[in-house]
Amino acid sequence: MIASPADQAIVRAHHEEWARVVAGLTRRFGDLDLAEDAAAEAFVAAVERWPRDGVPPNLGAWLTTTAARKAIDRLRRESHREHKHQAAHMLSDDTPPEPTGPVEDDRLRLVFTCCHPALAMEARVALTLRMLGGLTVAEIAHAFLVPPATMAQRITRAKAKIKAAHIPFRAPSATDIRERLAGVLAVIYLIFNEGYLATAGEASLRVDLTEEAIRLGRLLRSLFPDEGEVTGLLALMLLADARRAARFTRSGELVTLDEQDRGAWSRDLIIEGHALVRERIAAVAAGAEPPGRYQLLAAINAVHTDASSSGDTDWSQIVALYDRLIEIEPSPIVRLNRAIAVAELYGPDKALAEIDELSETLDSYHAYHAARADLLRRVGRSEDSRTAYDRALRLAGNPGERAYLDRRRRQLVW
């Protein structure tokens, strides 16, 4: 069934305008709950009215005006918040926002508000994904490898903590802002990853999210041009996004890195990403701090995108970069990705031995079972490979990834 113009506009507006509406309402009313609820009510109104009355010429303006009215109506109904109602005295507020620090973008201000140090790191990331990225609780839960109910509680508690601590909607001072960069970078990267390989829904990738993450990354770099991890994250996202056109077949099936048409990769993004990586290598050589997580991941992607084929990839350099990454982030997922590189350098048997050590920790992670299935296939253990593919298929939420896993499973020799 083909979606109507109104339905298409609503989907597009949610992707493009959700963060702007929520951030603008938060700046105006100073209440995350109110902003989120009013934005949601505005989208409900759009679902009801646009098919009947027609799609408005300016989607964002319509949603912002409607959401503001919804917020003011709610404040009027809540007598104990009358003082906030007085602060919101106009339906159309044309007054320019007051300066709120070095960050002049509402969405970035919202990120820094949600990444306040009063919140635990996981709460900061989860809340900002919800408020800025518009991701569902289920999508965020998948990113954290936790049950949706756990994530819902985490987000609710985070918003309550912001309200109880009276955390304002503004950027931190120049000295405090760098202390919050780790949480902000994690938020932007998770938003990018959700767009790069969607965890739920019918779309295999969400270009709106990858482009929004890159936009935020560029803004952050303009604010902090000398921060290595800011530059590293931008380079990482550019090099990953450069492969977008080659990552799925016309039918929507995922195409793995070794099978991609490298001629379809974006040379402009690769050139830009490589330049940023070289900039950080030169900075470290000149005495800057050693590279962190994002700089090392960007360097790994630079090696991949520098090779003309999978066979020409410098796998020894990739394994060495993963070794450095493990020194600063010894997570199971980093060890899994290193093992996949080890398979190319030393063979699948050695990689299997390393991956099997992660079985208990990563049992609920579909990519673990997908990687293990492929290694088992390569060593001729078809029945074990089939079992691993079955487990990966049960856990995978991306339709393109599921199509790929199903095809590889069917190709196993019985």
Side-chain angles (χ1 to χ4, degrees):
M1 181 178 178
I2 300 176
S4 69
D7 290 339
Q8 293 175 2
I10 290 166
V11 172
R12 185 173 74 254
H14 188 269
H15 289 168
E16 297 175 357
E17 303 296 342
W18 171 267
R20 290 185 178 91
V21 174
V22 171
L25 292 173
T26 303
R27 171 175 55 80
R28 183 174 174 185
F29 297 102
D31 188 320
L32 285 176
D33 275 325
L34 179 65
E36 183 181 8
D37 290 345
E41 290 178 14
F43 277 95
V44 170
V47 170
E48 295 173 350
R49 298 179 193 173
W50 291 3
R52 181 189 66 211
D53 302 336
V55 177
N58 188 323
L59 307 185
W62 190 98
L63 289 164
T64 298
T65 299
T66 302
R69 289 181 178 137
K70 297 289 185 183
I72 290 172
D73 287 343
R74 175 168 297 196
L75 292 176
R76 285 170 175 161
R77 292 194 300 267
E78 299 178 13
S79 59
H80 66 283
R81 295 170 75 173
E82 184 62 24
H83 62 289
K84 290 189 177 180
H85 170 219
Q86 294 299 327
H89 57 89
M90 296 176 64
L91 288 179
S92 298
D93 183 3
D94 296 326
T95 304
E98 295 181 3
T100 50
V103 180
E104 295 302 328
D105 184 280
D106 274 345
R107 286 164 292 184
L108 274 176
R109 273 196 289 266
L110 182 58
V111 170
F112 279 109
T113 299
C114 294
C115 291
H116 194 277
L119 303 174
M121 180 60 75
E122 289 184 346
R124 299 178 212 175
V125 175
L127 180 61
T128 310
L129 281 171
R130 177 73 190 115
M131 301 300 294
L132 184 89
L135 306 189
T136 67
V137 172
E139 288 168 342
I140 303 169
H142 188 279
F144 278 96
L145 304 178
V146 299
T150 300
M151 184 54 62
Q153 291 178 347
R154 188 175 295 169
I155 292 172
T156 299
R157 289 170 183 167
K159 289 195 289 187
K161 183 69 175 288
I162 285 178
K163 184 180 297 185
H166 303 291
I167 294 172
F169 179 69
R170 64 168 182 259
S173 67
T175 55
D176 292 337
I177 203 167
R178 283 176 172 77
E179 296 178 3
R180 302 206 207 163
L181 274 178
V184 173
L185 294 175
V187 166
I188 294 174
Y189 190 39
L190 279 175
I191 292 174
F192 178 84
N193 281 337
E194 182 56 36
Y196 184 77
L197 195 67
T199 58
E202 297 180 0
S204 293
L205 73 162
R206 292 181 58 182
V207 175
D208 59 303
L209 289 180
T210 57
E211 291 183 345
E212 175 68 6
I214 290 173
R215 190 194 75 85
L216 291 171
R218 291 190 189 281
L219 280 173
L220 210 58
R221 175 168 157 79
S222 71
L223 291 166
F224 308 108
D226 298 325
E227 289 287 340
E229 284 295 82
V230 172
T231 299
L233 176 59
L234 178 57
L236 170 60
M237 294 189 295
L238 292 173
L239 293 172
D241 197 48
R243 304 194 294 267
R244 183 200 304 171
R247 292 183 54 241
F248 294 91
T249 66
R250 290 184 178 180
S251 63
E253 180 181 322
L254 178 71
V255 181
T256 54
L257 182 61
D258 60 311
E259 297 178 332
Q260 288 175 14
D261 175 10
R262 301 189 177 213
W265 290 357
S266 170
R267 297 309 306 173
D268 289 343
L269 292 182
I270 290 173
I271 290 170
E272 184 180 2
H274 282 193
L276 293 175
V277 170
R278 288 195 299 271
E279 174 187 313
R280 291 313 308 162
I281 292 174
V284 171
E289 292 183 1
R293 174 195 186 197
Y294 299 111
Q295 292 171 81
L296 290 170
L297 287 173
I300 289 168
N301 276 264
V303 176
H304 280 302
T305 52
D306 192 48
S308 59
S309 68
S310 178
D312 291 335
T313 303
D314 188 346
W315 291 105
S316 61
Q317 187 176 1
I318 288 180
V319 171
L321 287 166
Y322 272 121
D323 286 339
R324 295 184 65 182
L325 184 56
I326 286 175
E327 291 177 2
I328 62 174
E329 186 185 342
S331 73
I333 292 179
V334 172
R335 292 174 61 194
L336 171 65
N337 290 329
R338 180 189 180 278
I340 294 171
V342 164
E344 302 301 322
L345 191 60
Y346 300 113
D349 286 306
K350 181 172 177 57
L352 264 175
E354 295 188 12
I355 280 183
D356 284 343
E357 295 178 359
L358 307 172
S359 60
E360 184 175 347
T361 308
L362 295 180
D363 183 59
S364 62
Y365 185 43
H366 77 281
Y368 163 77
H369 296 283
R372 187 167 181 271
D374 183 64
L375 293 173
L376 289 167
R377 175 191 62 80
R378 290 167 63 178
V379 299
R381 293 168 56 182
S382 296
E383 191 59 38
D384 291 335
S385 177
R386 187 173 297 108
T387 300
Y389 274 125
D390 287 340
R391 178 69 171 152
L393 280 163
R394 286 194 296 271
L395 294 170
N398 185 279
E401 198 168 16
R402 289 180 56 82
Y404 164 76
L405 292 170
D406 181 63
R407 177 176 63 83
R408 295 307 297 260
R409 183 191 183 281
R410 287 185 282 106
Q411 289 175 341
L412 289 172
V413 178
W414 289 85

